[in-house]
Amino acid sequence: MEQKLSPNDSISIIEKALSETNKEKTGASYYYILWGTVMTLYFILQYLVLTTSNNYSNTLATIAWLLFPIGGILSFIQSKKTDKTEKIKTLNERVYIFVWGGTGLCLGIMGFSGYLMQPKNYVTMVLLLFGFASFVTGGVTRFTASIIGGVICVICAGLSFHFSQSTQFLIGALGVFSACVVPGIVMRKTKTLNV
Amino acid sequence: MFKQLDPLLHSQLRLAIISLLIGLEEAEFVYLKEKTNATAGNLSLQLDKLRKAGYISLNKGYKKNYPVTICKITPKGKVAFKKYVEDIKQYLNTD
């Protein structure tokens, strides 16, 4: 049975539907918090490796590298879980997939060809990539926490040039924490944004 | 002179479906059913009308061995929705 609609009814149907879809979450917060934590811990452990002069430094370096496969496994489990339960794909999901996918690809290239780079520039490059990705995704999805996090991360990248390699890792931890962990937590708490 | 409103979109359920799909990449049939409070039969009927007009695409598949229907708005559907909103604004301006 079809009901006759007045123009106001039509507008109210459209508004209601759009407000419903605007509330839908992309599920990106999990990955922001997970990979933000992985990178933050990695940088802190690298700082400890460089500043600890005893036998623990080798163990710390191994633990640091183990964080990545652990992050990969947790991401895989989460994506399988989401595939089973999600009923929609939001428009912003593509933004996250392509921007952060591209960033991951660049980081991978840097990881494999890192020996060609000056070690002193490594943290700076990572921070610039994270800052850029966070800034762009925040801008497209109109998510202020991500924009601010991206700016802080890029500022950290600029500052890191002027410090020793060990201190660079601490600055790196701060930058990645601002660009990923903080926006991830805010994303989880916000109820009115499609992030 | 008022423009004729698209009769396909000027219906409560079909307008709700298109308005939901315009804000999403894609949605499963059950999601649309939950959000529109429509019966499965009526929703299927209206989805089919929109599909025949080329406003949406329907892809049938399986998830956990259960059949799923994925609905997605087409570029033609986006244009029609935009035009509908523009046309309806004319009516509102005279109220």
Side-chain angles (χ1 to χ4, degrees):
Chain A
M1 182 71 80
E2 292 186 16
Q3 291 175 13
K4 254 196 152 180
L5 288 177
S6 73
N8 282 325
D9 290 339
S10 296
I11 292 294
S12 112
I13 289 169
I14 294 167
E15 278 177 352
K16 197 176 163 215
L18 291 178
S19 80
E20 285 289 329
T21 52
N22 270 340
K23 280 185 236 158
E24 298 296 348
K25 298 278 183 182
T26 60
S29 66
Y30 179 87
Y31 299 101
Y32 265 71
I33 294 169
L34 173 67
W35 285 102
T37 308
V38 163
M39 286 303 291
T40 305
L41 286 176
Y42 174 76
F43 281 145
I44 291 169
L45 287 170
Q46 286 299 334
Y47 168 77
L48 293 173
V49 167
L50 290 179
T51 52
T52 312
S53 54
N54 54 33
N55 294 334
Y56 290 119
S57 63
N58 277 342
T59 317
L60 289 172
T62 313
I63 293 170
W65 280 108
L66 274 175
L67 288 169
F68 292 100
I70 292 169
I73 291 166
L74 290 174
S75 293
F76 180 76
I77 293 168
Q78 177 68 12
S79 77
K80 287 283 155 200
K81 220 160 88 177
T82 315
D83 279 352
K84 281 181 191 167
T85 54
E86 83 174 354
K87 294 174 191 158
I88 52 156
K89 276 197 168 40
T90 66
L91 294 172
N92 286 341
E93 268 180 62
R94 285 175 74 85
V95 178
Y96 289 116
I97 290 169
F98 280 93
V99 175
W100 284 105
T103 305
L105 205 65
C106 292
L107 288 171
I109 297 289
M110 275 171 63
F112 281 114
S113 317
Y115 61 92
L116 295 170
M117 278 175 66
Q118 291 273 345
K120 198 171 167 22
N121 296 336
Y122 197 80
V123 173
T124 309
M125 288 295 291
V126 172
L127 288 181
L128 281 174
L129 280 172
F130 267 72
F132 177 75
S134 186
F135 187 75
V136 170
T137 50
V140 175
T141 60
R142 298 165 200 269
F143 184 48
T144 316
S146 200
I147 297 172
I148 295 169
V151 171
I152 293 172
C153 196
V154 170
I155 291 170
C156 286
L159 284 176
S160 67
F161 276 122
H162 308 286
F163 289 91
S164 67
Q165 208 182 343
S166 58
T167 313
Q168 279 187 347
F169 282 116
L170 275 188
I171 296 170
L174 173 70
V176 171
F177 190 82
S178 313
C180 295
V181 180
V182 175
I185 293 166
V186 180
M187 259 179 212
R188 190 154 280 197
K189 291 195 170 165
T190 185
K191 287 188 172 74
T192 52
L193 274 172
N194 178 214
V195 286
Chain B
M1 182 76 177
F2 288 114
K3 286 181 186 168
Q4 178 75 34
L5 292 170
D6 185 341
L8 209 64
L9 293 183
H10 199 57
S11 130
Q12 192 171 356
L13 185 50
R14 287 195 296 268
L15 182 61
I17 293 166
I18 286 286
S19 304
L20 284 166
L21 290 178
I22 199 97
L24 298 167
E25 180 77 23
E26 58 186 41
E28 286 182 12
F29 180 88
V30 282
Y31 175 83
L32 295 175
K33 189 171 167 285
E34 274 169 25
K35 295 292 172 188
T36 57
N37 289 322
T39 62
N42 193 17
L43 184 60
S44 293
L45 195 75
Q46 305 309 329
L47 285 174
D48 204 45
K49 282 185 186 176
L50 291 168
R51 184 190 61 80
K52 279 180 183 157
Y55 289 0
I56 63 165
S57 66
L58 299 176
N59 287 311
K60 291 178 192 290
Y62 285 90
K63 195 156 106 179
K64 286 197 287 180
N65 296 326
Y66 288 100
V68 283
T69 304
I70 311 275
C71 315
K72 200 172 173 175
I73 191 163
T74 61
K76 190 180 173 188
K78 285 178 189 171
V79 171
F81 178 77
K82 202 177 160 191
K83 189 176 176 302
Y84 180 83
V85 172
E86 290 299 319
D87 292 347
I88 205 104
K89 275 183 195 166
Q90 279 194 328
Y91 288 84
L92 285 170
N93 289 339
T94 58
D95 281 355

